[in-house]
Amino acid sequence: MSTWKIVLGSAVVLTALWLLSPERAQKSSEPGVVELTYMGPTGPIAGATEDAVREFEAESRAAHEKDPSRPIYRVVSGQNASRNQVDDPTRFLLSVAGGTPPDVIYFDRGAICEWAAKKAFVPLDDFIARDRAANNPDAVKPEEYYPSCWAEASYNGNVYGIPTGVDDRALFYNKDLLKRAGFVDDHGEARPPRTWDDLAEMAARLSEYDENGRLTRAGFVPNFGNAWLAMYAWTNGGKFMEADGKTVTLNHPRNVEALEFMKRIYDSLGGAEKVNAFHSTFQGGDLDPFLAGQIALKIDGFWALRSAPAQYGGNFAWGVVPPPRPARELANGPMTWNGGWSLAIPATSRHKEGAWELVRFLSSRRSNQIVNAGEKQIAESKGELYLPLQRANRIFNEEQFRQYVTDNPTMDPQVAEAVKTFNDLLPTAHFRPVSPVGQYMWVRQNSAAEDAIFHKKTPQQALDDADRDVQKELDEAFSPPRGKPMTWDFFFWLYGILLLGAAVGAWWWDAKRTRSSENAGGYFRSQWRGGIICASPWIIGFIVFTGGPLLFSIIVSFCDFDIFNPARFVGLANYRKMAGEDPLFWKSLGNTLFMVLGIPLGMAVSLGIALLLNLKVRGIAVWRTFFYLPAIVPAVACSILWIWIFNPTGGLLNVALASFGLHGPNWLQDENTSKPALILMGLWGAGGGMIIWLAGLKAISEHYYEAASLDGANAWHRFLHITLPLLSPYIFFNLVMGLIGTFQIFTQAFIMTQGGPVNSTLFYAYHLFNNAFRYLHMGYAAAMAWVLFVIVLGLTVLQMKLSKRWVHYEEGNG
Amino acid sequence: MTPRRITEALLRGGRDALLRCGVYVLLLGGATIFAWPFLWMAATSVKLDREMFGDHIRFWPESPVPQPRTPYVDESRFRDLDGPRMKELLPVLESHLAQMSIWPAGEDHDAATSQTARGVYRRMQQLLPPRFWQSPSDELKAEVLKRVDEKLAADVFQKIRRCIAFGALTIRSYDFVEDQLVPSGQGASLLDIGGSARATLVPGREGRQDITELHGDFAAGDTVTLARTFTTSFPIARLHRIQLSLRPDDTWASVNALVEKGGRKFRAERPAFLSDSKWAAVTWQEPGPDDTTNKIHAWIPLRDIGPGSVTAPNEIRITLELQRNTALGAWWAKIIRNYQLTFDHVPFWRYVATSVFLVILNLAGTLFSCSIVAYSFARLHWPGRGLCFMLMLATMMIPAQVTMIPTFLIIRALGWYNTLYPLWVGSLFAGAFNVFLLTQFLRGIPRDLEDAAKIDGCGFWRVYWHVMLPLVKPTLAAIAIFTFMGTWNEFMTPLIYLSDQRLYPLSLGLYALNVQAGSSMGMMMAGSLLMTLPVIAIFFFAQKYFIQGVTLSGTKG
């Protein structure tokens, strides 16, 4: 290659690199601009909130023109896309751990406290006090908020998030159906249920079945809509935690009673399985089950009012009332619970002042007005009726509903009445307990309810178990950290000495060896420098990115380490946890072993194809392409494609099955079929192995087959006694590579199922990733990684041992 | 040859031919199964949402039909309708419906009643309890007719009648001042109609809202224009966006906006198409700061096309051009629809550029570092070589997870979190497997070749460049292909190290798209297809090296 070619080539490549350089997109072109990163639940800020943000930016620009010391803010959003920031805060945590967190985060209020306890958020009290002292017209005033909303975002006397929206729950009832079944009051109007007994009676009497005993209408389903165990427990006077926040009371007698009530209703409808089968027939939009009369009564949130009955409900009579309570509790007044979102500032944010300005603006009246105006326009351009969302700020909430509902002459009176019911419930609503284990308690109490409803446990048993688990977590959260803090000095010394020893040893060994042949020694020595320089990329890489990390990772596996605090030495605790205390470890190992089934299947498929192609067929290149292409589809694209193929209603598989009159399973949504589904998807890519088989088959000499044919062996015998033994090295290689690959399955599970349903696709590598970056149990993750290493090593050694025994190597090479 | 032997030979030949046929049938079947998901992906990427779920899901997308008239009755919706006793019920329903007074004058009465009858029959399938379907004819008919009133019929008819309808036309300033230029329902009196087709604007009502319907006949010509000069309440220089609420009629006709203001004339960069039949908003705005952000681009940019006649500071002239589509044009519009949506939702080309950027750097890094390290291991002598080679082989067995956490800490300490460095710098440090593969080949090169070069006066750099590299070109090609694939597909590393969406490579960007708009399968498939195409293209061009590479790694390893 001549010099000018090289120069030209590099120039072209460098220009291309400069043109493509992503850093160019990031650079802000204007001086004085400060970028604030806003992290919402999914994707970029859109719709009317975008208008509010635009106004915030414009105001900061105006302020900058008056006083150039003030920055111009630009809000960047859409960072760190995550399916559900609350259920899976991995992406948020990673950016915090990496040192570039968002400046403002829109976060579920129920989870604020948990992160506040870990010091992930800034307390906002000082900002609030300062604004009030300065008489800022937009100052956040805690007394304007519904007490439950404010309390839910507070922890240990500080507030960590400014509540934005709120949504409470109430009972929707179909007046026509109630009337038809004879549930009427003295005026002949439909009589909604007030007590649990009413509810139970209506649930049973309003339900209808077809001739096969399948539900065609349910009177009431406790978990349809949005009630959860929480609703029944609170309306029954139960509670989930003592006031001190240190004792969990999940198995409070009233809670148990509430769960028994839920279970009784399910049983009266024919059992939870039957009800779930009925659920799966539901559709959305104007075929919403409540509108279609498939469900007569439901407890649901305010958003459900907004989406269905308000849009399409003009054609039938419906109403909303407070959720029923047991008769003895009625005297205590109506009761519901609410949740919602809030804006918080991560503790490591680099622009806290700007972040607070944005939070304050988004909590202001002006912002609320902009959002409402924008949302209204969006709704109306789609031909929909506009209802504002409930706001946590009582003043704003009352103002906006006066403007858009009460004073709106065109508003459907049924909707107006429903809105009033919902808003009247807000001041006294309950909220989920503020606790460092709040999320876990929520997940655990609902899985306990599920267990009871499906008769896996009695309500008492289920709640006792849940109570024990959550209490243990809580105690751990309050207990002082274990172990001694580690100092890392000795690690660097150790590593330095090891490296030095290796270098000196190598030099001495080489010197000894080359001394024996004097002449050659000189020849060799002339290459030393060049050799080491040439190998230096690998040597440096090894020292920095492999050797050191290996040693570090061993040490960390004996520590408690969460990145934010210094590591603490805890001995074998992590390994003990794996063996006994972490059921998910075994679950993930089991899931991974299940996937091992896919290896022989995949090998059989690819070997089958290879055998066919080896029959001297015409157009081998074309066939090969067909079978090989699926193997090179990028994992992300492949996962997304198969999410769609596995879609229970519109996906390729079930549509194909339906054309044969079969009813396909729910695939990825069902814990029994999720792993087989992933194996099936793996089989599609099995063509990748075919190439290796083909090479192996080509290497088998024709003579063997001819000789065997002469001896009268048929095709099957020839395959069994010649092909297979001669392919055995390849079989072994594929088997081991397959096993190692199976232990690394991550991307598919992460994208397609997020480890669910019920942890059925939580594979080893995924559980490890979760521990490292979702729970920040880095020490435990390192221990898991080493166990993984031992497994891989074991498999490889086993392969080598076994292969000597029964793998047939032709002329000793493989 | 005796006849018997001929028969035997023929039989044998026949059996062989049969066997060969069987092989091809198997191959064809297998290839079909393997290709089916690809076809499904491509087919879905041009489908509308309504084609993906529902009663009758077809594999291939429906053909878009440009209609000569609007309003018209959609005859495709119940084309596949089938069910018990349909033949018996349809005529009864039709005659029953024909007597109703809900049918709009001047529209196709027969099509309306016959299609509505089918729709009502479908509704009955859902509503009528099973016992009635077994009852005698008269009873069933009576039971059905009892349930069919004008409200139900009108409701069903509403769903199959297609008509272009307009809601409000609004403009908004950068200061959030909003002007309703044409309030919903007043289009007929406020807009001047023109163009070559025959068309009228008719006020109508739908639910709670007044609307304006466009009734047109495209027999005479292809275009309808609606125009008017408006006075605005804010200075037109502050204009931010123009928004039109409309209900398309599924004819795939195009809507273009022509705007004149402040002495200039603007035209929409691309038309909006009247696909589907749900209310939607079309937004037009001039290029501004929004275009460069990673917001969801839910607007069509307006481009300056020259001087215009409207100059007053508070005046704007808006012309909407409706143009009937050809069959081919409709297909094209339908095909690009989901792709356009994908590009509007995420900065797709930015992701592609980042991925290409990373591919180039990784390729250069890997090829250089691996070949030079392999050269050193295979041909040069230095102390510790044997130890290092063994260490290198050993590292091949270490799962990436073991070093994942320390590597994260190192990257963080270097200040490289949320930059692209972690995604390519690693390639400079010679991956063990590639080095091993190259070493195997380099060792096989006879020493004489090297010595000859040295005698000719080559230093070891020149030996490396002019002797060694050319001899391992095929291996390098295989390594290049795997590096390309690895970089293009890499998901976990960007997932861990990037938080800024503007830095995402395509793999993570596609995941971000999935998070944002996962329910829109058309967009998902469009994005996945675009990500897959380059890989397939490379495979076609470099099939030889691909296969060589797989064989090498599978047999030498």
Side-chain angles (χ1 to χ4, degrees), chain A residues 482-768:
Chain A
R482 302 175 290 178
K484 281 202 306 278
M486 288 278 293
T487 48
W488 289 103
D489 291 355
F490 100 95
F491 159 74
F492 289 107
W493 281 113
L494 180 68
Y495 191 42
I497 290 167
L498 273 178
L499 286 177
L500 203 69
V504 170
W507 179 81
W508 174 80
W509 175 255
D510 191 74
K512 198 179 96 179
R513 206 160 54 107
T514 46
R515 202 177 304 124
S516 57
S517 54
E518 207 56 46
N519 275 335
Y523 172 69
F524 285 144
R525 223 165 282 133
S526 71
Q527 298 183 340
W528 278 21
R529 228 185 58 206
I532 292 179
I533 288 175
C534 282
S536 62
W538 181 82
I539 295 175
I540 296 171
F542 177 81
I543 292 174
V544 179
F545 288 107
T546 311
L550 275 180
L551 194 64
F552 181 89
S553 151
I554 294 182
I555 299 173
V556 143
S557 76
F558 296 104
C559 296
D560 260 355
F561 182 49
D562 69 354
I563 282 202
F564 299 114
N565 299 300
R568 289 171 164 272
F569 185 80
V570 292
L572 286 170
N574 285 326
Y575 293 91
R576 270 204 301 276
K577 180 176 171 190
M578 233 179 290
E581 295 159 43
D582 181 12
L584 283 183
F585 172 80
W586 293 104
K587 176 101 189 168
S588 69
L589 202 59
N591 288 338
T592 309
L593 290 178
F594 187 97
M595 294 303 281
V596 168
L597 278 181
I599 302 172
L601 285 176
M603 276 165 52
V605 168
S606 54
L607 182 57
I609 299 170
L611 286 172
L612 280 179
L613 288 184
N614 202 38
L615 289 173
K616 300 193 184 66
V617 289
R618 275 164 207 272
I620 185 158
V622 179
W623 295 116
R624 202 169 51 189
T625 310
F626 265 108
F627 291 112
Y628 191 68
L629 274 186
I632 58 168
V633 175
V636 180
C638 187
S639 302
I640 291 174
L641 167 64
W642 283 83
I643 291 176
W644 174 222
I645 290 179
F646 286 131
N647 186 299
T649 50
L652 177 62
L653 259 176
N654 279 5
V655 170
L657 286 175
S659 68
F660 294 109
L662 297 169
H663 184 75
N666 278 341
W667 298 114
L668 298 172
Q669 274 105 300
D670 183 331
E671 61 172 312
N672 297 316
T673 48
S674 55
K675 284 188 289 281
L678 290 182
I679 289 180
L680 195 64
M681 168 182 154
L683 288 186
W684 186 54
M690 161 193 79
I691 307 278
I692 297 175
W693 297 124
L694 275 177
L697 289 170
K698 286 260 150 43
I700 301 176
S701 163
E702 278 295 313
H703 301 308
Y704 292 116
Y705 292 115
E706 280 163 21
S709 295
L710 285 178
D711 288 347
N714 64 22
W716 172 245
H717 282 130
R718 289 198 297 266
F719 173 72
L720 210 60
H721 298 295
I722 300 173
T723 316
L724 269 190
L726 287 176
L727 282 180
S728 57
Y730 299 90
I731 296 179
F732 238 93
F733 175 76
N734 275 347
L735 200 61
V736 171
M737 293 314 276
L739 274 171
I740 293 175
T742 304
F743 273 87
Q744 315 260 0
I745 297 177
F746 173 78
T747 309
Q748 302 95 303
F750 185 87
I751 295 176
M752 297 174 78
T753 55
Q754 298 88 54
V758 208
N759 292 322
S760 62
T761 55
L762 186 76
F763 299 116
Y764 196 93
Y766 196 177
H767 189 43
L768 198 161

Side-chain angles (χ1 to χ4, degrees), chain A residues 87-103:
Chain A
D87 280 0
D88 181 3
T90 313
R91 307 276 290 137
F92 165 58
L93 275 178
L94 269 168
S95 61
V96 174
T100 50
D103 298 302

Side-chain angles (χ1 to χ4, degrees), chain A residues 782-804:
Chain A
M784 273 188 79
W786 278 100
V787 170
L788 173 65
F789 176 60
V790 170
I791 293 174
V792 169
L793 192 71
L795 288 173
T796 316
V797 171
L798 193 74
Q799 176 226 9
M800 296 197 171
K801 282 263 153 58
L802 281 180
S803 68
K804 272 189 198 124

Side-chain angles (χ1 to χ4, degrees), chain B residues 158-458:
Chain B
Q158 188 62 47
K159 293 213 164 87
I160 51 171
R161 177 173 177 265
R162 301 274 174 265
C163 180
I164 303 170
F166 297 105
L169 175 68
T170 47
I171 56 171
R172 180 202 265 191
S173 77
Y174 275 108
D175 312 300
F176 297 101
V177 183
E178 212 150 74
D179 279 4
Q180 217 166 54
L181 299 181
V182 182
S184 194
Q186 295 184 29
S189 52
L190 284 175
L191 291 168
D192 304 324
I193 207 157
S196 55
R198 227 159 10 93
T200 45
L201 287 171
V202 183
R205 191 166 173 80
E206 189 182 291
R208 286 175 292 265
Q209 255 186 328
D210 289 320
I211 56 169
T212 306
E213 290 190 343
L214 180 104
H215 293 195
D217 188 344
F218 290 99
D222 283 340
T223 53
V224 175
T225 59
L226 305 167
R228 181 77 179 218
T229 310
F230 303 95
T231 312
T232 59
S233 69
F234 54 83
I236 204 64
R238 295 291 294 160
L239 176 72
H240 175 209
R241 69 180 193 203
I242 303 168
Q243 203 165 52
L244 174 71
S245 156
L246 93 171
R247 186 188 58 202
D249 64 347
D250 203 17
T251 54
W252 296 90
S254 63
V255 181
N256 241 318
L258 205 67
V259 176
E260 284 171 82
K261 64 173 182 97
R264 307 292 302 174
K265 209 176 200 173
F266 301 83
R267 198 182 163 77
E269 195 180 74
R270 56 172 197 267
F273 290 99
L274 297 180
S275 58
D276 217 343
S277 51
K278 290 196 188 101
W279 280 97
V282 186
T283 309
W284 291 280
Q285 64 183 51
E286 266 178 79
D290 286 357
D291 297 274
T292 54
T293 62
N294 52 3
K295 286 177 178 143
I296 296 171
H297 290 215
W299 63 88
I300 300 175
L302 289 169
R303 293 269 174 251
D304 194 333
I305 54 167
S309 53
V310 178
T311 49
N314 273 51
E315 258 185 13
I316 182 169
R317 182 173 177 78
I318 298 176
T319 311
L320 299 170
E321 289 179 355
L322 258 86
Q323 180 152 33
R324 188 188 165 201
N325 220 331
T326 59
L328 211 63
W331 257 115
W332 177 244
K334 185 167 178 172
I335 286 171
I336 59 170
R337 184 177 172 276
N338 283 318
Y339 292 88
Q340 187 64 51
L341 277 174
T342 308
F343 303 149
D344 289 345
H345 260 75
V346 289
F348 194 85
W349 298 114
R350 166 99 336 253
Y351 295 158
V352 172
T354 306
S355 274
V356 173
F357 175 82
L358 290 173
V359 164
I360 295 177
L361 283 174
N362 271 308
L363 272 181
T366 306
L367 291 181
F368 177 73
S369 67
C370 291
S371 61
I372 199 144
V373 169
Y375 174 58
S376 171
F377 275 137
R379 313 295 302 198
L380 299 175
H381 181 92
W382 43 281
R385 187 181 74 164
L387 177 76
C388 284
F389 195 70
M390 255 169 46
L391 272 179
M392 191 190 75
L393 291 187
T395 59
M396 276 164 54
M397 276 192 306
I398 299 171
Q401 279 86 353
V402 176
T403 52
M404 184 169 76
I405 291 165
T407 309
F408 181 81
L409 297 176
I410 293 172
I411 297 291
R412 191 174 72 132
L414 289 170
W416 284 358
Y417 181 81
N418 201 24
T419 67
L420 289 180
Y421 296 114
L423 276 64
W424 64 267
V425 168
S427 72
L428 296 177
F429 299 120
F433 185 71
N434 293 335
V435 173
F436 171 68
L437 214 57
L438 280 168
T439 310
Q440 298 291 86
F441 281 93
L442 285 171
R443 277 192 183 145
I445 296 172
R447 180 151 293 258
D448 304 344
L449 224 59
E450 199 180 338
D451 291 340
K454 280 186 181 155
I455 290 163
D456 287 349
C458 290

Side-chain angles (χ1 to χ4, degrees), chain A residues 2-21:
Chain A
S2 53
T3 322
W4 68 269
K5 266 190 194 164
I6 297 176
V7 172
L8 195 71
S10 358
V12 167
V13 168
L14 286 177
T15 322
L17 285 180
W18 180 77
L19 282 175
L20 293 168
S21 164

